[in-house]
């Protein structure tokens, strides 16, 4: 019998963890001489109360959905893919090559091809770590961390020496052709002359991220491959007994994981910058780990956790702009959220399990 209802594990544990992180964050803000209530109001106003703020929040959310799903797939196979950052970098290279060297007639065709290119490049970058894990026993955490640094070095070399336009100083490609530029929320939803979503980078890839959540759910819980991934994650020995190949599942799971990370580049490279720049990922691959942990590796949870971190990113930018609170403090708040939802998860879970067990026993006695 489960110690705690599924709804409590999915909703109550993360909610209490977030509240604890918020309380500690408020104490930190007080310690530097600022008002935490005013700071929270400013974050809400800047991230949620204006269409431009929503545009930035959903832009960041899109990144975190892709990287959160990337980590969640590996989690279901009991692997810890910390390489989402590098896989997203290399996925961006695939997107850039497609946009720069293929003449597209329309953005919809460009988006489809760029999806294939970004996903394939991201998956390819996950292939070697997955092979080493499956065939040589190399730990996936170590190899994916190493491949993050290798990806950064590869991207730096390619941008500086191969793709940088003649005479340009910054390590970036040329701007992509106009036919590859994706519609923004302002293009899609703002009437002529309206200021709705003005200046915000949110674009059509947000809806691709939502579709990715739906596809993730279907894959993991409605397909044979998803069943094999979950079975392997629960017990490798039982999966082998049932005829499931550990090598195949390890490699396939990591290919899907890397492909999802590579798709993030559609948002940052094709949708927002409209060129490939050196630090396009901005740490989203690492935030995806926290998103997957908080979201319990379920697409609904991943979406909500990504939305929370999107709010923190945009709200933090507002704090840094309008108050004396340094931008680094937002990193502290994010770290506290990660700490309570990840490392200190049992600190919340164990008392709740005891509470629900006590309630169940009292109900049986009654």
């Amino acid at each position: 019998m489960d110690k705690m209802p599924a709804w409590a594990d999915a909703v109550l544990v993360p909610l209490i963890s977030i509240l604890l992180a918020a309380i500690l964050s408020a104490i930190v803000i007080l310690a530097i001489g600022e008002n935490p209530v005013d700071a929270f109001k400013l974050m809400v106003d800047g991230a949620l109360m204006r269409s431009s703020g929503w545009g930035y929040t959903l832009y960041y959310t899109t990144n975190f959905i892709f990287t959160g799903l990337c980590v969640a797939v590996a989690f279901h196979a009991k692997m810890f893919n910390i390489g989402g950052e590098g896989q997203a970098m290399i996925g961006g290279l695939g997107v850039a090559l497609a946009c720069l060297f293929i003449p597209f007639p329309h953005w919809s065709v460009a988006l489809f091809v760029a999806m294939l290119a970004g996903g394939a490049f991201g998956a390819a970058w996950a292939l070697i770590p997955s092979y080493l894990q499956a065939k040589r026993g190399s730990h996936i955490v170590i190899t994916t961390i190493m491949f993050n640094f290798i990806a950064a070095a590869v991207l730096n070399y390619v941008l500086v020496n191969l793709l940088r336009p003649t005479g340009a100083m910054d390590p970036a490609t040329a701007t992509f052709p106009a036919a590859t530029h994706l519609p923004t929320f302002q293009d899609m939803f703002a009437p002529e002359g309206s200021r709705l979503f003005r200046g915000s980078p949110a674009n059509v890839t947000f809806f691709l991220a939502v579709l990715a959540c739906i596809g993730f759910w279907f894959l993991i819980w409605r397909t044979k491959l998803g069943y094999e991934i979950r079975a392997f994650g629960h017990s490798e020995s039982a999966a082998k007994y049932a005829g499931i190949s550990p090598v195949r599942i390890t490699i396939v799971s990591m290919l899907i994981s890397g492909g999802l990370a590579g798709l993030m580049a559609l948002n940052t490279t094709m949708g927002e910058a409209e060129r490939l720049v050196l630090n396009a990922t901005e740490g989203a691959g690492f935030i995806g780990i926290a998103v997957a942990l908080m979201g319990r590796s379920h697409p609904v949870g991943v979406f909500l956790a990504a939305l929370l971190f999107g709010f923190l990113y945009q709200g933090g930018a507002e704090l840094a702009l309008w108050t004396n609170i340094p931008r680094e403090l937002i990193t502290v708040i994010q770290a506290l959220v990660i700490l309570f939802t990840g490392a200190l998860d049992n600190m919340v879970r164990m008392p709740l399990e005891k509470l629900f067990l006590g309630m169940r026993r009292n109900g049986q006695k009654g």
Side-chain angles (χ1 to χ4, degrees), residues 288-312:
I289 299 170
V291 168
L293 284 169
M294 184 182 295
R296 297 295 188 267
S297 298
H298 191 282
V300 175
V302 166
F303 179 87
L304 294 176
L307 190 61
L308 170 65
F309 277 92
F311 163 76
L312 289 175

Side-chain angles (χ1 to χ4, degrees), residues 246-261:
V247 172
R248 181 175 69 89
I249 293 300
T250 297
I251 293 176
V252 169
S253 299
M254 283 296 294
L255 288 177
I256 296 171
S257 180
L260 285 166

